[in-house]
Amino acid sequence: MQTDESAIPKADPFSLFEVWFGEAKASEPNDPNAMALATATADGMPSVRMVLLKARGVDQGEGGGFVFYTNAESRKGEQIRANMRAALLFHWKSLRRQIRIEGPLEEVDPAQADDYFHSRPRASQIGSAASDQSRPLPDRQVYLDRVAALEERYPEGDIPRPSHWTGFRLSPRRIEFWQDREYRLHDRRLFTRSSATEAWDDTLLYP
């Protein structure tokens, strides 16, 4: 049976995230920035899906944050607008690690949303602008026709960002690092703070 100390150091959680994320980028075969995003309706009905982390760190808003983008008129967008709190989960199977992050959300400013939208491939810009994400689609050809219409309308250059396509920043209040260990004697360290401006507290957790 293992008796050694925790392998998860007492450290700034953003710095520790960067170490783990760097190792994940070297070991994961696809999308190391993929994360499960859990949201809920105003009355607490939960929903979860995979999205991609697009920015992170102490420079992302007051106290640091984690940023993703979406159509705010989609199901998740409507849930976010109704209940501006969420949870993220990274699971890097190749490393047998997880990171869980929870906290309130805030919308990024329009300039940041514009910059990211126009950094995407032109075809991705068109695909997003043409999509009524999460809403019923009578036939796939309807969507493809809308893509073709936008390609014709904007034959070159960037596509205007739809006002409902935006980003959200999660300001973390809880960050848990989880490391698999033999015999399910897993290693867990939890960092918590009550506001974006407070220092982090941390503790180990029982597996």
Side-chain angles (χ1 to χ4, degrees), residues 138-185:
D139 185 275
R140 183 165 174 79
Q141 190 60 47
V142 173
Y143 176 51
L144 297 180
D145 289 345
R146 293 177 69 169
V147 168
L150 282 172
E151 290 174 334
E152 182 176 352
R153 183 177 179 184
Y154 301 102
E156 58 185 23
D158 285 332
I159 309 304
R161 176 181 65 87
S163 61
H164 55 263
W165 194 97
T166 186
F168 293 94
R169 179 188 304 106
L170 187 147
S171 177
R173 300 296 185 267
R174 295 171 60 95
I175 304 180
E176 180 192 327
F177 294 82
W178 181 99
Q179 175 70 62
D180 177 84
R181 303 292 285 267
E182 286 185 312
Y183 309 114
R184 305 198 68 78
L185 304 182

Side-chain angles (χ1 to χ4, degrees), residues 1 5 16 29 52 68 86 98 123 126 130 163 177 189 194 204:
M1 181 177 295
E5 296 298 320
L16 184 53
L52 297 179
F68 60 93
Q98 298 181 62
I126 291 173
S163 61
F177 294 82
R189 187 178 293 276
S194 58
L204 295 176

Side-chain angles (χ1 to χ4, degrees), residues 2 4 12 15 26 37 56-57 59 61 70 90 103 108 113 123 131 134 136 144 153 161 184 197 203:
Q2 299 180 34
D4 55 335
D12 172 75
S15 298
L37 166 66
R56 80 275 178 188
D59 61 337
T70 189
F90 295 86
V108 304
S131 175
S134 301
L144 297 180
R153 183 177 179 184
R161 176 181 65 87
R184 305 198 68 78
T197 59
T203 183

Side-chain angles (χ1 to χ4, degrees), residues 18 29-30 66 86 103 123 179 189 199:
E18 287 302 312
N30 294 297
F66 299 84
Q179 175 70 62
R189 187 178 293 276

